[in-house]
Amino acid sequence: MYRKPSVQISRNGRFTKICSLPNTPDSKMTFDYSSETPPRQFVPPPSLLSWVRLRSGQVKLFNFRVRLSDLWQYADAIPQHRPKQHVVCLHHFDQPMKFERNLDGRTRRETTANGDIAFLPADAPTRLRPATKEPERLLSYSYLVFEPTYLAELALTNGIGRPLDFIPRFASPDPLLHQITAALTSAPRIKDPAANLFIETLVNAAAAQILRNYAEVRYPLSGPPRLTNDQLTAAIDFIHDHIGESLELGSISRAAGLSEFHFARLFKAATGDTPFQFVTRTRMERAKQLLCKTRLRVFEIAGRVGYQKSSHFSARFRAVLGCGPDAYRKSAGR
C-alpha cells in the first residue's frame, strides 16, 4: 500500500517539499513538477543532470540521463499517473528506442529517436514502458514543464479565449522545441545583463510552438504582420534611453505597444537581430564611444552600459570586437 510521505530536499540551505503520493494503490498518482527538483521517488537522483528555473518558476527545464535498467524499474513501480503541469518530453537518444506508451486512454508501440518530443497535457493519464532489452544503455532526455495558468494567461493576453484544450501527442519530430531547449540549457552560463532577454525570447517561442501545434484554440495565433515605423522607433528609443539598466523584454515590448509574445519575432524581422543581440550590440557601440571620447575607467564604462561586473563587460566586449576594452582604447589612440 502506498504511503503519503513528505519529502524534503536541501538546496543552498533551503528545504523544499517536493511531492505527495496517493493513499491508495488504485488512485491516479499525480506528478507535481512545481518544485525545483522533480519527485525523487520517480526519477533516480543520479539521472538529473541539470535544471533551469524560468519565468519565476512558471516554466522549468529538467535534463536527465538514466540507465535503461533503471527505467525498467521505474516503469514497474509507477502505475498510470497524471502530470500536474503541461510536460514536453524531449528525446535525445543516440539510437532509436522502442516504447509502449499509454496516453490519455490510448496505447501505442512507438519507435522514437533524437529530435522527437511527446506532449503530455496537464491531468492527462499516462504511462511509459521501454520495449527494448538493453539494460546498460544510457538514455538522455529533457522535460520542459509549463504551469497551466501560465499558458492560459499567455493565450488570453493574445486574444485566445477559452476553452483552451491541449492535445496529447505521441512521439513525433519537433526540431524547433529541441533547438529552444538546447539554448535554454546554456542560458545560465551567459554572464550578461541582457541574458534575461535571451531567455524570455526563447520561452515565448516555446509557448507559441505549443499553442500553435499542441492546442485547440478558438482563434488562430497570428498577431500583427510587422512592426510599424513608430513601433520600431519607440522600441529602439527605449533601449537607447535605458541602456544602463537591466532591460526586460516586457518593458521594451510595452514601449512599442505590443505584447512580448509577438514582439521578439517582429523585432527580428524588422532589424535582423533578436532583442538580445540588438541590446548587446547597442551596449558595445556605446562602450566604444565612451572608450574613445572619455577618460572613464573600464569599470565605470561597464556600469554605464548596464554591466554590474566589469569582468563580464570585458568578456562580452572581447567576444564581440575581438579585443579587450583597454586594447581597443589604446588602438583608438586615447
Side-chain angles (χ1 to χ4, degrees):
M1 182 173 181
Y2 291 95
R3 295 180 297 113
K4 191 175 183 180
S6 177
V7 180
Q8 305 285 328
I9 290 180
S10 176
R11 187 177 184 86
N12 298 328
R14 187 174 67 211
F15 286 85
T16 306
K17 185 175 181 180
I18 62 171
C19 71
S20 297
L21 298 182
N23 285 318
T24 59
D26 58 347
S27 62
K28 290 295 187 295
M29 186 179 293
T30 298
F31 281 24
D32 187 353
Y33 294 95
S34 61
S35 300
E36 294 174 350
T37 307
R40 292 181 71 176
Q41 294 94 330
F42 310 143
V43 181
S47 73
L48 178 58
L49 299 179
S50 64
W51 63 271
V52 184
R53 184 174 183 266
L54 309 161
R55 288 292 192 182
S56 301
Q58 296 183 87
V59 182
K60 295 184 182 69
L61 172 63
F62 300 99
N63 294 306
F64 300 106
R65 180 176 296 154
V66 65
R67 198 174 300 277
L68 188 55
S69 57
D70 292 333
L71 196 60
W72 270 105
Q73 183 179 359
Y74 163 90
D76 290 337
I78 303 302
Q80 188 179 71
H81 55 277
R82 301 171 184 264
K84 189 174 181 180
Q85 292 81 17
H86 301 304
V87 178
V88 181
C89 182
L90 302 104
H91 304 159
H92 313 304
F93 309 149
D94 55 354
Q95 297 178 7
M97 179 72 193
K98 293 182 179 180
F99 289 102
E100 182 180 281
R101 188 189 302 272
N102 181 279
L103 183 56
D104 200 29
R106 297 175 295 156
T107 300
R108 180 179 298 178
R109 177 72 67 94
E110 59 185 21
T111 300
T112 179
N114 187 25
D116 287 349
I117 71 106
F119 180 65
L120 317 178
D123 205 39
T126 183
R127 186 174 186 181
L128 183 71
R129 291 184 61 83
T132 300
K133 298 287 186 180
E134 299 176 52
E136 297 305 310
R137 181 174 171 183
L138 291 173
L139 302 178
S140 297
Y141 59 100
S142 303
Y143 283 172
L144 185 59
V145 179
F146 291 84
E147 291 293 336
T149 53
Y150 173 75
L151 287 182
E153 291 171 3
L154 190 62
L156 284 173
T157 58
N158 287 277
I160 302 173
R162 298 180 184 277
L164 183 61
D165 296 323
F166 290 90
I167 308 165
R169 183 68 61 88
F170 289 88
S172 59
D174 195 322
L176 178 59
L177 282 178
H178 273 266
Q179 293 170 11
I180 291 170
T181 301
L184 285 173
T185 298
S186 69
R189 297 193 293 271
I190 301 175
K191 304 302 181 183
D192 191 287
N196 57 333
L197 289 173
F198 178 70
I199 293 170
E200 289 167 351
T201 300
L202 290 171
V203 171
N204 279 328
Q209 179 74 350
I210 290 170
L211 290 173
R212 286 192 180 100
N213 296 294
Y214 307 109
E216 293 180 348
V217 298
R218 183 178 299 173
Y219 305 108
L221 190 67
S222 56
R226 62 180 180 85
L227 291 178
T228 66
N229 290 336
D230 288 344
Q231 288 173 323
L232 181 60
T233 299
I236 292 175
D237 286 348
F238 183 88
I239 291 170
H240 282 283
D241 292 343
H242 297 83
I243 201 65
E245 304 171 15
S246 178
L247 287 162
E248 304 285 341
L249 186 63
S251 59
I252 301 173
S253 61
R254 283 193 295 273
L258 285 172
S259 73
E260 60 186 84
F261 191 71
H262 295 295
F263 174 76
R265 172 179 57 85
L266 298 176
F267 186 85
K268 183 175 182 180
T271 65
D273 288 331
T274 66
F276 171 74
Q277 292 168 333
F278 187 90
V279 167
T280 298
R281 182 161 55 83
T282 302
R283 283 183 165 133
M284 294 304 104
E285 291 298 321
R286 181 73 59 85
K288 285 164 60 179
Q289 294 172 6
L290 294 172
L291 286 166
C292 292
K293 297 179 180 180
T294 74
R295 296 186 181 274
L296 292 170
R297 288 173 288 183
V298 169
F299 80 88
E300 294 175 302
I301 292 174
R304 291 200 179 191
V305 296
Y307 288 80
Q308 294 183 354
K309 293 186 177 181
S310 60
S311 60
H312 293 169
F313 163 69
S314 296
R316 177 61 64 181
F317 192 94
R318 187 175 294 107
V320 173
L321 297 169
C323 65
D326 289 323
Y328 179 87
R329 171 175 269 170
K330 186 177 180 179
S331 68
R334 186 68 187 178

